[in-house]
Amino acid sequence: MGELRMSMLVDTFNRAHRDLRVSITDRCNLRCTYCMPPDFSDWLPGDHLLSVDELLLVIEVATEQGIENIRLTGGEPLVRPDVVEIVRRVKALPLAPKVSLTTNALRLTELAQPLADAGLERVNVSLDTLDRERFKTLTFRDRFNDVIAGIEAAQRAGLTPLKVNAVLMRGINDDEAIPLLRHSVANGWNLRFIEQMPLDAQGSWERAEMISAAEILELLSTEFDLVAVPTRGSAPAEEYTVDGGPMTVGIIASVSKPFCAACDRLRLTADGQIRNCLFARDETDVRATLRDPSITEAERRDRIARLFTASVMAKLPGHGINDPSFIQPDRPMSAIGG
Ligand code: SAM
Ligand code: SF4
């Protein structure tokens, strides 16, 4: 691993920020039930989405402040026609960060190789079922085969280790925990289960319905020999070797066992708002600065850097999902960038 660059984005709890999740669009070609309703129409106005030049400027300033990892997300990042150009230009920055992408894989068959050629390092693919009919029910689109083909294309293009994220829902796909892991191990996918979070557009999350990390671990342990891999640093997943390894499975207990104390992430929404937490109630507007015609380019950069610092300094110690006073953010996951 390379030496860590000095991060200037250190918050009041001494957390150094090195990871920026950049949502490049809120649009999507699926309608996963835990994310947005089938008739979702509350899209961001097109002219609010940041252009490639605007994205690049924000990312460049962030790298100068110590950001080392950029994860492109959405919405579905691959529906943005200029996604390959975005990756190529981020990788060409003077302080080029590592670039990865979270995707539903629908467009990976055609884009995996161009993205790899542009310098993309890895992809995380979201897949909650191995059953084509169930996939249709869960996403409102009959595109299961495209996901599998997309994953294979990513592996051929060397976008590895390929991580697959799955959300288990009670009575809906929780019977697939074991088959999903068996299939992942056999196909070289690094599977990670993520606890369902209160981030759906329709606000229908219920704690009692959530399948907890402890429950997932118990379920998987009936079939596999799982041994915890020590030290996870700022990585959110608790990793376990499966049947002696080398394959591992991750369990991300965002709700039941938050990892806020080690959080090193910031987020940029597709419409140019910095968020210091997925669950933040406040955002820091960078779009207005990007589009302010009255300032010089040097002033613009300086102001963007200050906005990042201000956002980091206002970061709370934790997301508070477990507090009685918790209020779900106004924006759904698709607009924040998961
Ligand atoms: N469209 C891409 C995808 O699905 O991978 C990227 C954006 S999506 C919002 C990012 C991740 O958030 C996916 O792995 C998805 O499963 C997860 N996600 C969305 N809503 C969620 C929720 N309410 N709780 C937990 N994870 C969620
Ligand atoms: Fe789209 Fe990803 Fe949300 Fe599913 S989870 S609806 S693929 S943004």
Side-chain angles (χ1 to χ4, degrees):
M1 204 167 101
E3 212 175 295
L4 286 182
R5 278 203 293 267
M6 170 107 127
S7 174
M8 286 177 249
L9 297 172
V10 180
D11 70 7
T12 55
F13 303 93
N14 216 20
R15 293 172 294 194
H17 292 76
R18 304 187 190 283
D19 185 306
L20 178 65
R21 312 252 146 152
V22 180
S23 173
I24 58 174
T25 179
D26 63 328
R27 286 18 177 206
C28 190
N29 40 14
L30 292 183
R31 293 290 179 274
C32 304
T33 46
Y34 50 69
C35 186
M36 57 172 102
D39 56 351
F40 186 72
S41 61
D42 198 9
W43 307 112
L44 294 171
D47 63 343
H48 284 198
L49 301 187
L50 298 193
S51 68
V52 186
D53 286 346
E54 290 171 335
L55 281 169
L56 259 289
L57 181 56
V58 180
I59 293 171
E60 180 169 13
V61 172
T63 62
E64 288 163 0
Q65 291 182 288
I67 291 293
E68 299 179 336
N69 303 302
I70 297 289
R71 170 171 296 280
L72 302 179
T73 181
E76 172 48 41
L78 300 188
V79 303
R80 193 161 157 150
D82 45 17
V83 61
V84 175
E85 183 193 348
I86 293 171
V87 172
R88 187 180 329 103
R89 289 183 53 187
V90 173
K91 288 305 292 185
L93 288 172
L95 295 170
K98 291 205 181 89
V99 184
S100 56
L101 188 140
T102 302
T103 174
N104 61 28
L106 293 194
R107 298 201 62 224
L108 269 182
T109 313
E110 50 187 308
L111 287 175
Q113 193 59 55
L115 284 166
D117 293 344
L120 185 74
E121 266 115 354
R122 288 195 306 99
V123 287
N124 283 12
V125 171
S126 308
L127 181 63
D128 306 318
T129 177
L130 294 169
D131 181 90
R132 182 176 160 186
E133 279 307 310
R134 189 176 276 177
F135 183 91
K136 211 157 75 175
T137 312
L138 288 181
T139 66
F140 288 86
R141 302 286 186 272
D142 186 10
R143 303 290 302 272
F144 176 74
N145 293 342
D146 296 313
V147 177
I148 300 299
I151 291 177
E152 289 168 359
Q155 288 179 307
R156 276 196 306 276
L159 296 171
T160 51
L162 184 125
K163 292 188 181 170
V164 171
N165 295 342
V167 177
L168 292 180
M169 289 158 281
R170 200 172 299 287
I172 296 176
N173 67 341
D174 50 340
D175 56 339
E176 288 200 65
I178 290 167
L180 269 167
L181 182 52
R182 202 177 286 126
H183 188 89
S184 298
V185 167
N187 288 277
W189 306 350
N190 242 287
L191 182 65
R192 290 136 33 109
F193 291 101
I194 306 177
E195 282 180 349
Q196 188 177 355
M197 295 179 278
L199 284 168
D200 53 316
Q202 54 276 49
S204 62
W205 181 85
E206 279 184 48
R207 168 178 299 271
E209 284 304 300
M210 184 195 79
I211 310 223
S212 70
E215 210 176 325
I216 297 169
L217 190 59
E218 203 182 308
L219 240 163
L220 295 177
S221 298
T222 61
E223 188 74 15
F224 303 95
D225 179 26
L226 302 180
V227 177
V229 180
T231 69
R232 64 182 196 188
S234 62
E238 298 262 21
E239 293 281 341
Y240 300 84
T241 53
V242 182
D243 293 337
M247 293 304 291
T248 57
V249 62
I251 304 182
I252 305 185
S254 331
V255 179
S256 63
K257 217 168 145 195
F259 32 87
C260 304
C263 179
D264 68 347
R265 291 164 194 195
L266 294 171
R267 298 187 137 81
L268 179 70
T269 66
D271 59 345
Q273 310 297 309
I274 300 169
R275 291 180 71 95
N276 54 27
C277 174
L278 252 183
F279 298 94
R281 307 279 312 153
D282 297 315
E283 300 181 335
T284 305
D285 180 21
V286 76
R287 188 176 79 242
T289 297
L290 285 165
R291 299 185 178 176
D292 184 345
S294 71
I295 54 176
T296 65
E297 285 314 300
E299 281 169 339
R300 201 178 315 281
R301 282 173 175 268
D302 187 53
R303 280 200 202 171
I304 295 169
R306 284 167 198 266
L307 291 171
F308 269 115
T309 305
S311 175
V312 165
M313 293 318 277
K315 183 157 167 160
L316 298 174
H319 58 42
I321 298 180
N322 300 308
D323 300 345
S325 59
F326 174 74
I327 305 171
Q328 190 170 330
D330 297 330
R331 301 208 208 209
M333 182 80 127
S334 58
I336 297 171

